[in-house]
Amino acid sequence: MDINVRTTDSSTLDRLDREPLAFGNIFSDHMLIRRWAEGAWGPAEIRPREPLAMDPTTLALHYGQTVFEGMKAYRGSVDGRLRLFRPADNARRLAQSCERLAIPALTADDFIACVSEMVRTEHAWVPHARGESLYIRPIIFASEQHIAVRPALEYLFVIVTAPVAPYFASGAKALRLKAEPRYTRAVPGGTGFAKTAGNYAATLRPMASASDEGFDQILWLDANEHEFAEEAGQMNIFFRIGDEVITPNLSGTILPGVTRDSVLTLLKDWGVKHSERKVSVTELKAAASEGELKEMFGAGTAAVVAPIQSINYMGEEIHVSADAGASLTQRLLDTILGIQYGEIPDPHQWILNID
Ligand code: COI
């Protein structure tokens, strides 16, 4: 597709030298914008990032008809080339989110072309330090001015990018999670598998309370029984019990993470016993008390692979055992980063080079 690119004459790139990098505190100079109206997507344009003028009747503001993605561009540690990780999987998931939210989808080719052109335009914004990257945030939202509850007749697809450090500022420190006993993130038949704003909005109140209590994240439990682990909001969750790695199966209430799938693929490659199934808090408690809960970790684009030390359920601490042996968490993190930064072979062709 043809993408018109109009670059800024007042870049703020020097912020990268002046300010410490966190997750999402600095944005790059440009944005991509593409409008859907009268049944079709129009041309895409990259232009200097600026506020979008929005009437208060813009539908997305009222009923939350909006979806997004999260992906990163990496600068190769050895060759300096820019890389995307599994962009076709983000395209596929965005299409699934769009379908659920009654939003017109983009073709995978168009999505990847738009993301690639944004990365080319913002190449100078891709950090050099290993572990840092250019976070890419594509969103699609209902831009029509109306107030009836129905799918909008106009949408905007926008991409912004942000140079980022790892999501968890604690770095390698293992996370403390609170299993949320009262609120739920998603219900069967709802939107849990889609990347849509409302799923995140629903977690803000409980997350603020958990943070006040000193926890890093929430472990969401199933809506029916509040017994089975689902995901951690910003990442999928994995448990190593004995010699088996388990992650909750994609039941429709869990986000199908690209990093989650990469972890499962690597475990398969390595011949590590693994399964996708329900995991109850009762099972985790029993495993911990027998010293069999060897490792827990989260997996996500922003978080990458993040070790978890404990889950607090109604005041009771479920802790990983001290004698975990060789850390699978670390091996997974090293391998995924190694592929993303072009340091080791990429046997599954997960990387798309951007030249
Ligand atoms: C991602 O990992 O890209 C996410 O979307 C998590 C995020 C909401 C920070």
Side-chain angles (χ1 to χ4, degrees):
M1 70 184 299
D2 270 351
I3 302 174
N4 183 43
V5 181
R6 182 162 57 83
T7 52
T8 182
D9 50 16
S10 52
S11 172
T12 57
L13 185 60
D14 62 333
R15 283 189 70 185
L16 272 186
D17 298 325
R18 286 188 283 110
E19 292 173 43
L21 206 54
F23 186 92
N25 58 331
I26 299 178
F27 293 94
S28 66
D29 288 327
H30 301 92
M31 63 186 192
L32 179 141
I33 189 154
R34 189 179 188 197
R35 183 161 176 263
W36 188 93
E38 290 168 20
W41 286 105
E45 185 191 25
I46 292 176
R47 62 184 197 224
R49 185 170 53 81
E50 61 184 356
L52 299 171
M54 221 185 272
D55 193 90
T57 63
T58 299
L59 269 170
L61 299 177
H62 297 257
Y63 308 124
Q65 197 194 6
T66 167
V67 293
F68 70 97
E69 267 304 318
M71 49 206 295
K72 286 173 171 171
Y74 310 85
R75 189 181 294 279
S77 338
V78 181
D79 58 11
R81 285 177 87 184
L82 302 185
R83 294 170 166 77
L84 292 173
F85 185 69
R86 307 187 66 174
D89 293 283
N90 293 95
R92 191 173 312 122
R93 187 172 63 187
L94 182 65
Q96 286 163 1
S97 300
C98 284
E99 205 283 324
R100 180 63 183 84
L101 273 289
I103 291 176
L106 295 159
T107 66
D109 285 349
D110 281 4
F111 175 78
I112 294 170
C114 288
V115 169
S116 303
E117 197 56 33
M118 260 306 273
V119 173
R120 270 182 217 108
T121 307
E122 303 297 49
H123 65 93
W125 284 90
V126 183
H128 288 256
R130 187 182 193 274
E132 296 181 351
S133 54
L134 187 70
Y135 188 76
I136 303 164
R137 176 49 66 84
I139 57 175
I140 308 180
F141 66 92
S143 55
E144 184 193 352
Q145 296 172 21
H146 211 287
I147 211 150
V149 181
R150 57 150 174 75
L153 299 176
E154 287 170 26
Y155 297 85
L156 286 180
F157 171 52
V158 179
I159 303 179
V160 291
T161 68
V164 293
Y167 190 77
F168 292 106
S170 52
K173 193 173 140 293
L175 303 172
R176 295 182 61 229
L177 266 49
K178 173 188 174 185
E180 173 54 53
R182 177 172 169 213
Y183 298 105
T184 43
R185 174 188 170 275
V187 295
T191 57
F193 67 90
K195 221 161 163 53
T196 183
N199 289 344
Y200 294 79
T203 67
L204 298 178
R205 177 71 263 157
M207 262 174 55
S209 305
S211 170
D212 288 346
E213 293 165 43
F215 298 105
D216 300 299
Q217 278 282 304
I218 284 181
L219 172 64
W220 295 101
L221 302 176
D222 73 289
N224 292 332
E225 297 168 66
H226 272 265
E227 169 65 6
F228 296 98
E230 299 232 305
E231 63 155 278
Q234 273 82 331
M235 51 193 194
N236 295 110
I237 186 137
F238 288 78
F239 308 98
R240 177 157 76 91
I241 299 181
D243 65 355
E244 183 187 20
V245 178
I246 307 153
T247 192
N249 51 307
L250 298 177
S251 57
T253 51
I254 296 175
L255 192 83
V258 175
T259 314
R260 175 188 180 279
D261 187 73
S262 308
V263 166
L264 289 171
T265 304
L266 290 172
L267 294 175
K268 191 164 170 223
D269 288 356
W270 298 341
V272 175
K273 192 169 154 201
H274 60 280
S275 51
E276 297 176 74
R277 63 166 173 84
K278 287 181 159 193
V279 186
S280 68
V281 176
T282 308
E283 179 180 359
L284 293 174
K285 274 193 222 166
S289 71
E290 288 156 16
E292 288 299 306
L293 185 57
K294 301 292 186 190
E295 290 179 74
M296 301 191 279
F297 57 90
T301 299
V304 198
V305 176
I308 296 166
Q309 54 175 290
S310 61
I311 295 171
N312 185 292
Y313 181 65
M314 312 265 265
E316 193 178 333
E317 284 281 300
I318 305 172
H319 214 284
V320 289
S321 70
D323 64 332
S327 163
L328 203 51
T329 309
Q330 191 62 45
R331 185 177 176 202
L332 285 160
L333 177 64
D334 290 343
T335 307
I336 291 174
L337 289 179
I339 294 172
Q340 290 172 336
Y341 288 90
E343 296 157 354
I344 58 174
D346 169 28
H348 298 284
Q349 281 92 48
W350 283 339
I351 294 299
L352 177 69
N353 287 299
I354 305 291
D355 290 315

